[in-house]
């Protein structure tokens, strides 16, 4: 399989180099800075079906902030809020609204990962530090990524507690309503004009990632707006970070709208994998999660475009699920509307049936759906 830099080039995971200087075991968790973590945790539990597993706050000796840890499958989110106005977390929320602050990556050796990254030019945010309680020890270290986003390296093989030292376990969550979410498939970052290649270079040089696929403005454009995207993947392919930048179009692109309302680069969407997208999405909709819709014509043309698939097209249309096919198989996907009032972070639900691509065939229908929403917000 080709690894040249043409559109939709796929890098096979077994092409991972044996000299991977930063082996990542996967995404440990994603930490959001939010205005009201108690209410955000309620939303992710009752709407997205996650289970509250741990808590830290004044009652556990953490006096400046409160964090709720929610989990479903391997998807783990930490929702953190500052308790006083003079706090870096409060400043983050003032500037960006609710959003992702940290993407924590699981490693065998956090000090090694941090040393490799900083020697290759990463800016340190947190030097390696070991924390412990009666459940064992965790080592953490962080580096700066795009905007105010950071990557935390987390080493926890000697820890047996619910989350991290300082957190208390929550044994039972009576309101969680699981929907079948399994793991994070990919997390997309929006960066500024002409900044994509600098961040692609960062992930290559500092993190040992490689270009997995790329899309240019011919793949991703409509009458009004365009964007460019490169998908970066780590050595074993477990961690995938597409990076978007805006491209010149007739009107304001969705990436520009994000950059304006997030006030800078940040995480645009998190794709969550399921084995049964019909079940997952119908349950999420019943629980109040709002999704983008595409017109009826998308479904009348679907079979011609993607061939025969296992799922009844009627059911897909009822839920608004999109389908795309490549030479390895097909995938089903759907996108939520932004999950906060600012038009910033949203989620994707994805089921892969052989395909390792990102739904290029859906870009036009999807972008037109996004533009209808931008129009309604007065931001097109
Ligand atoms: Fe995506």
């Amino acid at each position: 399989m080709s690894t040249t830099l043409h559109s939709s080039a796929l890098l096979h995971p077994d092409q991972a180099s044996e000299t991977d200087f930063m082996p990542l075991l996967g995404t440990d968790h994603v930490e959001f800075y939010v205005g009201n973590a108690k209410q955000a945790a309620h939303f992710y539990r009752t709407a997205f079906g996650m289970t509250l597993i741990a808590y830290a706050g004044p009652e556990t000796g953490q006096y400046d902030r409160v964090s709720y840890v929610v989990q479903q499958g391997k998807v783990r989110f930490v929702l953190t809020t500052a308790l006083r106005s003079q706090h870096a977390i409060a400043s983050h929320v003032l500037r960006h609204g609710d959003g992702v602050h940290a993407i924590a990556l699981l490693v065998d050796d956090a000090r090694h990962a941090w040393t490799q990254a900083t020697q290759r030019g990463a800016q340190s945010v947190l030097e390696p530090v070991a924390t412990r309680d009666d459940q064992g020890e965790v080592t953490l270290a962080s580096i700066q990524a795009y905007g105010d986003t950071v990557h935390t390296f987390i080493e926890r093989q000697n820890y047996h507690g619910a989350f991290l030292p300082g957190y208390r376990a929550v044994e039972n969550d009576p309101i969680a309503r699981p929907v079948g979410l399994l793991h994070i498939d990919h997390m997309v970052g929006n960066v500024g004009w002409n900044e994509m290649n600098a961040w692609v270079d960062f992930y290559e040089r500092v993190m040992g990632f490689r270009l997995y696929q790329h899309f240019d403005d011919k793949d991703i454009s409509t009458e009004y707006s365009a964007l460019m995207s490169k998908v970066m993947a780590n050595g074993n392919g477990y961690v995938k970070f597409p990076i978007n930048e805006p491209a010149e179009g007739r009107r304001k692109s969705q990436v520009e709208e994000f950059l304006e309302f997030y006030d800078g680069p940040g995480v645009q969407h998190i794709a969550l994998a399921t084995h049964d997208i019909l079940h997952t999405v119908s349950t999420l909709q019943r629980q109040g999660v709002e999704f983008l819709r595409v017109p009826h014509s998308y479904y009348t043309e679907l079979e011609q475009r993607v061939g025969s698939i296992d799922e009844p097209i009627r059911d897909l249309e009822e839920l608004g699920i999109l389908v795309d096919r490549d030479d390895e198989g097909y995938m089903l996907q759907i996108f939520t509307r932004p999950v906060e009032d600012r038009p910033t972070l949203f989620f994707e639900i994805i089921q892969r049936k052989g395909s390792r691509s990102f739904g290029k065939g859906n870009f036009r229908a999807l972008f037109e759906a996004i533009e209808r929403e931008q129009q309604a917000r007065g931001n097109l």
Side-chain angles (χ1 to χ4, degrees):
M1 180 158 294
S2 168
T3 57
T4 53
L5 309 189
H6 60 71
S7 178
S8 294
L10 284 166
L11 177 67
H12 220 277
D14 25 298
Q15 290 171 323
S17 90
E18 284 161 21
T19 55
D20 187 358
F21 62 81
M22 194 178 292
L24 302 176
L25 308 175
T27 304
D28 185 87
H29 67 268
V30 180
E31 184 170 25
F32 301 70
Y33 283 172
V34 299
N36 185 338
K38 179 181 285 215
Q39 291 189 4
H42 201 281
F43 173 76
Y44 283 103
R45 292 154 75 197
T46 56
F48 280 84
M50 305 186 79
T51 300
L52 181 65
I53 60 157
Y55 168 88
E59 301 85 345
T60 68
Q62 177 179 271
Y63 297 102
D64 64 334
R65 64 193 190 278
V66 169
S67 297
Y68 297 81
V69 186
V70 297
Q71 181 161 1
Q72 186 172 175
K74 292 180 182 168
V75 183
R76 185 156 54 190
F77 294 158
V78 181
L79 303 153
T80 298
T81 202
L83 288 174
R84 294 173 197 277
S85 57
Q86 301 301 314
H87 194 291
I89 294 169
S91 304
H92 195 284
V93 173
L94 175 67
R95 178 166 180 191
H96 302 299
D98 288 6
V100 171
H101 172 66
I103 301 170
L105 302 166
L106 187 62
V107 294
D108 279 331
D109 186 338
R111 176 172 291 279
H112 173 80
W114 176 88
T115 302
Q116 290 291 329
T118 51
Q119 280 177 356
R120 288 171 158 80
Q123 184 191 329
S124 176
V125 172
L126 175 70
E127 293 192 10
V129 57
T131 59
R132 58 185 68 76
D133 63 13
D134 57 5
Q135 299 294 310
E137 181 178 288
V138 173
T139 303
L140 301 166
S142 298
I143 59 166
Q144 193 65 48
Y146 46 82
D148 284 333
T149 315
V150 305
H151 289 311
T152 300
F153 301 115
I154 179 158
E155 171 190 336
R156 57 161 74 252
Q157 63 265 42
N158 298 318
Y159 191 68
H160 310 288
F163 179 56
L164 291 177
Y167 283 74
R168 95 179 164 207
V170 175
E171 299 303 340
N172 177 41
D173 182 349
I175 70 165
R177 305 180 215 162
V179 300
L181 299 175
L182 301 172
H183 59 264
I184 293 176
D185 185 274
H186 59 274
M187 289 186 68
V188 179
N190 279 346
V191 300
W193 287 97
N194 306 313
E195 288 177 5
M196 178 179 67
N197 285 328
W199 285 104
V200 164
D201 179 61
F202 170 90
Y203 282 105
E204 273 175 0
R205 185 172 40 86
V206 169
M207 306 278 288
F209 282 43
R210 294 206 273 166
L211 185 65
Y212 187 78
Q213 293 182 24
H214 90 177
F215 308 99
D216 62 24
D217 51 355
K218 285 180 237 14
D219 294 318
I220 319 184
S221 69
T222 63
E223 184 186 353
Y224 290 139
S225 66
L227 66 81
M228 305 217 277
S229 189
K230 286 185 176 172
V231 182
M232 303 305 291
N234 82 311
N236 59 18
Y238 290 174
V239 179
K240 293 187 200 75
F241 294 148
I243 308 290
N244 296 335
E245 72 174 18
E248 209 65 62
R250 273 178 52 197
R251 309 279 276 275
K252 186 188 289 177
S253 79
Q254 53 170 298
V255 179
E256 285 176 272
E257 188 194 38
F258 176 99
L259 294 170
E260 184 180 324
F261 282 86
Y262 198 72
D263 195 9
V267 173
Q268 179 212 40
H269 77 263
I270 302 173
L272 304 172
T274 172
H275 283 323
D276 185 352
I277 198 165
L278 292 172
H279 166 74
T280 297
V281 172
S282 61
T283 311
L284 287 170
Q285 288 184 2
R286 262 202 314 281
Q287 295 177 179
V289 176
E290 298 174 322
F291 291 90
L292 288 177
R293 305 302 297 221
V294 295
H296 174 66
S297 58
Y298 176 91
Y299 295 95
T300 58
E301 296 153 13
L302 185 60
E303 196 161 7
Q304 197 180 5
R305 186 166 63 79
V306 301
S308 93
I309 52 173
D310 302 334
E311 297 74 15
I313 289 182
R314 185 170 22 97
D315 295 355
L316 297 176
E317 177 168 7
E318 196 178 305
L319 296 169
I321 293 167
L322 311 175
V323 189
D324 199 19
R325 183 183 286 280
D326 57 33
D327 45 12
E328 295 182 301
Y330 68 99
M331 53 93 94
L332 306 106
Q333 63 182 169
I334 188 169
F335 296 83
T336 72
R337 302 179 70 204
V339 292
E340 54 287 295
D341 292 302
R342 296 193 199 191
T344 54
L345 177 75
F346 57 90
F347 288 88
E348 172 181 353
I349 309 298
I350 183 166
Q351 181 178 4
R352 295 189 178 279
K353 293 187 136 178
S355 167
R356 290 188 289 122
S357 60
F358 292 80
K360 191 170 86 168
N362 290 321
F363 289 167
R364 172 166 292 273
L366 200 61
F367 284 24
E368 285 169 355
I370 292 172
E371 283 163 15
R372 282 193 294 278
E373 303 235 326
Q374 276 184 264
Q375 179 96 51
R377 291 190 284 263
N379 293 332
L380 189 61

